[in-house]
Amino acid sequence: MRFDQHTVVLLTRPSDPPELPPEAIDRLRDAHLAHQAGLVEQGLVLAAGPLLHADDDRMRGFVVFSIAPDEVRGLYADDPAVRAGLLVARVASWMVPEGNVRYEGVPILASMLEAAAGD
């Protein structure tokens, strides 16, 4: 059997996030979403989105990439929310049977304001 290999990122909230005022958290969240949107625009992201109803409430989001794990680690070193300690990017390779998973255009939010507009 042949396999496709993707790089996945599990975004988690650390057990000891920094205490920041709500306005700072909002700015960092928007900066994180803008960073993610930039990765999509570059064609690096195959799929992305928040995680809901997780058994562990620290789990925040999941992203599938078309590039190698070391490259992805470098991209998340530049993510504002990761740099600020609000998120941790856990990176791994994911193997699935060849052709088993297909991706089409990846819509992604660039800010929380955009998310609120969808309600």
Side-chain angles (χ1 to χ4, degrees):
M1 177 176 283
R2 299 176 79 165
F3 289 89
D4 290 328
Q5 185 170 326
H6 304 290
T7 299
V8 296
V9 174
L10 177 60
L11 292 167
T12 62
R13 188 177 63 229
S15 56
D16 59 346
E19 291 190 32
L20 299 170
E23 309 82 46
I25 292 173
D26 289 344
R27 282 192 304 275
L28 285 166
R29 186 176 297 131
D30 279 348
H32 161 72
L33 291 174
H35 181 263
Q36 287 284 115
L39 300 177
V40 169
E41 290 169 5
Q42 293 176 56
L44 304 175
V45 174
L46 299 172
L51 296 172
L52 306 173
H53 314 296
D55 291 337
D56 183 339
D57 67 354
R58 292 175 298 170
M59 295 170 48
R60 310 310 292 165
F62 185 78
V63 188
V64 181
F65 281 88
S66 61
I67 58 176
D70 287 342
E71 293 176 81
V72 171
R73 287 182 186 95
L75 295 173
Y76 277 94
D78 290 335
D79 184 303
V82 172
R83 284 194 329 251
L86 292 180
L87 290 175
V88 174
R90 303 194 185 283
V91 179
S93 292
W94 179 44
M95 293 178 60
V96 294
E98 185 177 56
N100 202 21
V101 179
R102 292 181 176 75
Y103 303 95
E104 305 226 357
V106 182
I108 191 163
L109 299 174
S111 72
M112 291 307 291
L113 184 61
E114 198 175 313
D119 290 340

